[in-house]
Amino acid sequence: AVSAAEQSHIGVLLRHPLRRNGTPVGLGDLIAEALRAIVRADFAVQNTGGVRADLPAGDLTFGQVFQVLPFDNRVTILILTGQQLRAMIKHMHARKGEVPYVAGLAVSREDRSIHSADGAALDDAKLYRVATNDFLADGGDGLDAVFKDVPTERRTDTDYDMREALIELLRERYPAR
């Protein structure tokens, strides 16, 4: 049985479906943007395996968002050097053969170069505020080796649920009214 919460409309009306790898902006990158926006991070990284469905056109329900993000992940902020951020993305790309979903970044599938969305190079030594999910921050998808040198004081676990972050951004961009 479908609960009332799952059937409840969230105030979002999509004129077209949002697909995980759609263009110009896919749902996965939109989720990364939601993570970045809710904590005002420089960049955000979301693993492809954490996004499990597309969103259909129409008046969206919480249940549809739940199908997209079925895990109870929270938004986590990591303060990473440019070198650590680049290592994170390259590791995820090499492990799955897919570029992770990102916000504020551009990742070339051809030469695997990584730079900010405005074209600026990442400074290897500079510290950046990176939003991600707690699964990845905990070393999921094999990232424990990449994050072994990240001190605990450069990690902030938030109370933001990823679904809440996504719903907030969807309401902003695709209001039902």
Side-chain angles (χ1 to χ4, degrees), residues 140-153:
D141 280 352
L143 285 169
D144 44 347
V146 174
F147 295 149
K148 71 181 183 324
D149 296 328
V150 177
T152 55
E153 60 270 13

Side-chain angles (χ1 to χ4, degrees), residues 30-41 43-46 74-75 131-133 161-162 165-166 169:
L30 191 71
I31 291 167
E33 182 56 41
L35 302 181
R36 182 172 85 137
I38 203 158
V39 296
R40 295 178 180 84
F43 308 115
V45 180
Q46 166 64 37
R74 300 251 173 238
V75 180
T132 191
N133 60 63
D161 176 278
M162 286 184 53
L166 177 59
L169 186 67

Side-chain angles (χ1 to χ4, degrees), residues 7-18:
Q7 292 178 4
S8 64
H9 292 276
I10 59 170
V12 174
L13 179 64
L14 292 181
R15 305 230 182 278
H16 304 285
L18 287 175

Side-chain angles (χ1 to χ4, degrees), residues 18-154:
L18 287 175
R19 292 185 170 60
R20 287 168 274 191
N21 293 311
T23 54
V25 175
L27 178 59
D29 289 334
L30 191 71
I31 291 167
E33 182 56 41
L35 302 181
R36 182 172 85 137
I38 203 158
V39 296
R40 295 178 180 84
D42 299 312
F43 308 115
V45 180
Q46 166 64 37
N47 54 316
T48 58
V51 182
R52 294 301 177 105
D54 298 330
L55 284 174
D59 191 4
L60 294 185
T61 65
F62 179 80
Q64 290 167 316
V65 172
F66 191 92
Q67 288 174 351
V68 171
L69 297 169
F71 308 106
D72 291 328
N73 291 115
R74 300 251 173 238
V75 180
T76 299
I77 304 161
L78 297 174
I79 306 300
L80 301 177
T81 65
Q83 182 178 13
Q84 289 167 327
L85 176 57
R86 191 176 292 106
M88 174 188 190
I89 292 169
K90 286 186 176 187
H91 169 84
M92 293 172 74
H93 187 194
R95 187 165 191 267
K96 298 274 187 170
E98 301 170 326
V99 173
Y101 302 124
V102 295
L105 292 166
V107 181
S108 168
R109 285 168 169 74
E110 289 76 41
D111 66 2
R112 294 185 181 183
S113 65
I114 301 163
H115 51 275
S116 70
D118 64 7
L122 292 179
D123 181 333
D124 278 353
K126 183 177 177 182
L127 293 175
Y128 296 98
R129 187 174 162 92
V130 180
T132 191
N133 60 63
D134 56 347
F135 168 75
L136 292 178
D138 288 342
D141 280 352
L143 285 169
D144 44 347
V146 174
F147 295 149
K148 71 181 183 324
D149 296 328
V150 177
T152 55
E153 60 270 13
R154 291 198 349 224

